[in-house]
Amino acid sequence: MAGPQRNLTEGPIGRTLMAFALPTLGSSILQSLNGSINAVWIGQFLGQRALAATTNANIIMFLLVAAVFGFGMAATILIGQAMGRRDIDAVRCTLGTAFGLFAIISVLTVILGWLVAPAILHLLATPAEVYPLALGYLRVIFVAMPAGFLTVLLTMALRGTGDSLTPLKFMAVGAVLDVALNPVLIRGFGPIPALGIEGSATATLIANTVSFAALLAYIYAKDLPIRLRGAELRYLVPDPALLRTIVVKGVPMGLQMLVVSVSAMAMIGLVNRHGTATTAAYGAANQLWTYVQMPAMAVGAAVSAMAAQNIGAGRWDRVDRITRAGLLMNLALTGGLLAVLTLLDRHVLWLFLGQDAAAIDIAARVNLIAGWSFILFGVSMVLTATVRANGAVVAPLVILAAALFPVRIGLATLLDPTWGSDAIWWSFPAGSMVSVLLTIGYYRAGTWRKLRVLPTAREEHLPADCEPTAKAMPIG
């Protein structure tokens, strides 16, 4: 196969998995650095009120991304399985339906977001002095979302075809442009007026648009499998059967992000009861955990793409080996990173907490107790990625909700009166252990291997022009 796509159904599993996971990890790091640097620009140039305004807007953005993330993941699974069968027509049909769905969602996001932004900010009890800044920033961000949504869909689709390097390249283009434009548009430069906080949002709008246009041009210039030409453009009209599958499989995956968000807000409420130093320490630990989670998430994405292609190709003999390779890779990457952070934790925490010795002591204890639970988190991520590659999405949602609410939040609340803040920190490994045990049980004994993401066209009465062909199709 020409181009940057990898055939994930052949060759050495460990080496292929590593080569696929590293660019995905690089994309995650770039995305986090982009957000962190932009927060520095806003804080330095516009002050705390502006930073608080972006915090309020980012909550809304996260919920919007969660809403569409699941649909993108469902499309990626379908694309991965079709790619494993070497059914390029099915790949393009799925991409067309998902692209049409995302385009509709994007238009609705701009229109509704612009109109209801004031009501959303009032619902969040945004402080009066922050409200006008948050409203101006949020409305521009809503305009920037369509290009962002469609770029995310294309990058996820590319990973489904076995290409994780192209998304990294265009993520870098968008991140560099966003970071470079932020100070220029916030403060003004030459003929460019100072736009304040709206300048930061405008930088994101420009970066998203340029990144999307450049990625789309590259896909067509390289004639990649997800491009649509001629009669294939009819695939942009969502096919009912494919759309139903994407929505049914996508909603539970989107809900997983919502469950995590609600759990995080509940945990912050418990932490805040223990004073400012504890809250600051927990915030600093969370900054480190953002990066600690990245290897497991990158490995999970790689395992999902590889497993989906092999399931589509009928290579079930490789699926368990892919999972084992992912588990070992997570242990090496996440375990190694945690070991380094444990040795250097006080030096790293100083970057966030300065000379506050009390907060640093608390944060170091938080990391010592809770940090190592991310190895267990990685195990759950890899196993979930495998079962999700065959369309099993409800069981992982139920397991996640059980681990976070009855176990993690429940233990922290129940033991807080006697254990103090330690109850919160110990609830992390407890929740992760329950998640791992339940996920292992489902992986070994669940019915996920018997599922089919999308039955054949004849069974579901798909239109002939969108029927998977089950044979090799030319890419060009």
Side-chain angles (χ1 to χ4, degrees):
M1 181 175 299
Q5 282 71 36
R6 291 179 178 273
N7 186 345
L8 304 180
T9 63
E10 297 177 356
I13 288 175
R15 190 188 312 161
T16 303
L17 187 65
M18 178 66 79
F20 192 88
L22 288 179
T24 305
L25 177 58
S27 297
S28 298
I29 293 171
L30 272 176
Q31 193 171 22
S32 293
L33 287 175
N34 182 17
S36 298
I37 294 172
N38 286 347
V40 170
W41 288 134
I42 292 171
Q44 291 294 321
F45 291 152
L46 300 174
Q48 291 183 350
R49 285 197 307 131
L51 198 57
T54 62
T55 301
N56 278 265
N58 287 339
I59 294 172
I60 300 166
M61 287 170 59
F62 179 85
L63 294 176
L64 285 172
V65 171
V68 301
F69 171 82
F71 300 145
M73 280 300 304
T76 301
I77 292 167
L78 289 169
I79 288 170
Q81 291 201 8
M83 200 69 184
R85 299 192 305 270
R86 293 298 173 264
D87 190 347
I88 304 302
D89 193 59
V91 169
R92 290 171 179 164
C93 189
T94 304
L95 186 278
T97 291
F99 198 95
L101 173 63
F102 271 55
I104 294 169
I105 293 174
S106 297
V107 171
L108 292 176
T109 297
V110 174
I111 296 172
L112 294 178
W114 188 277
L115 295 175
V116 305
I120 294 173
L121 291 173
H122 284 304
L123 187 64
L124 291 174
T126 305
E129 67 274 14
V130 172
Y131 174 83
L133 294 173
L135 180 61
Y137 179 83
L138 186 57
R139 279 182 161 164
V140 179
I141 285 295
F142 274 126
V143 178
M145 293 301 277
F149 283 163
L150 294 173
T151 301
V152 167
L153 173 63
L154 291 179
T155 57
M156 294 174 80
L158 285 169
R159 290 185 182 123
T161 66
D163 177 8
S164 62
L165 191 56
T166 298
L168 173 62
K169 294 177 182 176
F170 289 92
M171 177 72 73
V173 170
V176 170
L177 194 58
D178 196 4
V179 167
L181 286 176
N182 253 268
V184 173
L185 296 178
I186 291 173
R187 294 288 296 271
F189 183 78
I192 300 173
L195 300 177
I197 193 169
E198 281 134 333
S200 178
T202 303
T204 300
L205 169 61
I206 295 171
N208 283 358
T209 304
V210 171
S211 180
F212 170 66
L215 177 57
L216 198 62
Y218 180 87
I219 288 169
Y220 278 87
K222 296 295 184 181
D223 201 29
L224 300 186
I226 63 172
R227 66 102 181 106
L228 303 177
R229 281 200 179 103
E232 294 166 342
L233 292 172
R234 69 185 183 275
Y235 293 162
L236 291 171
V237 178
D239 171 74
L242 276 171
L243 185 61
R244 182 169 61 251
T245 299
I246 289 173
V247 171
V248 169
K249 299 297 183 182
V251 168
M253 286 188 277
L255 286 175
Q256 288 186 40
M257 293 184 68
L258 185 61
V259 166
V260 170
S261 179
V262 172
S263 169
M265 287 189 287
M267 190 63 73
I268 280 288
L270 294 174
V271 171
N272 286 340
R273 299 176 185 176
H274 293 274
T276 304
T278 302
T279 301
Y282 182 67
N286 263 283
Q287 289 288 336
L288 299 185
W289 294 349
T290 298
Y291 294 94
V292 170
Q293 293 177 72
M294 286 181 184
M297 296 176 73
V299 172
V303 166
S304 184
M306 285 190 70
Q309 284 203 18
N310 281 272
I311 290 169
R315 297 294 308 274
W316 281 95
D317 58 303
R318 288 169 57 90
V319 173
D320 284 334
R321 291 161 57 201
I322 290 167
T323 305
R324 285 195 296 271
L327 292 172
L328 291 173
M329 195 174 299
N330 166 69
L331 180 63
L333 293 176
T334 305
L337 182 57
L338 282 167
V340 171
L341 287 177
T342 300
L343 292 173
L344 302 176
D345 61 349
R346 290 181 177 273
H347 301 285
V348 178
L349 291 168
W350 171 84
L351 295 173
F352 304 103
L353 298 172
Q355 301 300 323
D356 190 339
I360 290 176
D361 287 341
I362 296 171
R365 182 168 180 78
V366 173
N367 274 330
L368 185 64
I369 295 174
W372 289 94
S373 66
F374 285 100
I375 293 179
L376 301 177
F377 163 81
V379 173
S380 295
M381 282 290 297
V382 171
L383 296 176
T384 298
T386 302
V387 303
R388 191 170 58 194
N390 202 36
V393 293
V394 175
L397 171 62
V398 173
I399 290 171
L400 177 68
L404 289 180
F405 288 102
V407 180
R408 181 178 293 179
I409 302 298
L411 277 178
T413 304
L414 182 66
L415 298 178
D416 186 89
T418 53
W419 288 23
S421 61
D422 274 0
I424 300 173
W425 320 142
W426 281 108
S427 74
F428 279 86
S432 296
M433 180 60 70
V434 169
S435 176
V436 163
L437 293 176
L438 291 176
T439 305
I440 290 173
Y442 182 70
Y443 180 84
R444 293 176 63 88
T447 59
W448 64 274
R449 297 174 192 268
K450 300 177 182 178
L451 298 176
R452 282 186 298 172
V453 179
L454 182 67
T456 63
R458 293 179 181 82
E459 291 172 325
E460 288 293 321
H461 307 293
L462 290 179
D465 65 356
C466 200
E467 180 177 341
T469 61
K471 64 180 181 181
M473 296 287 290
I475 295 178

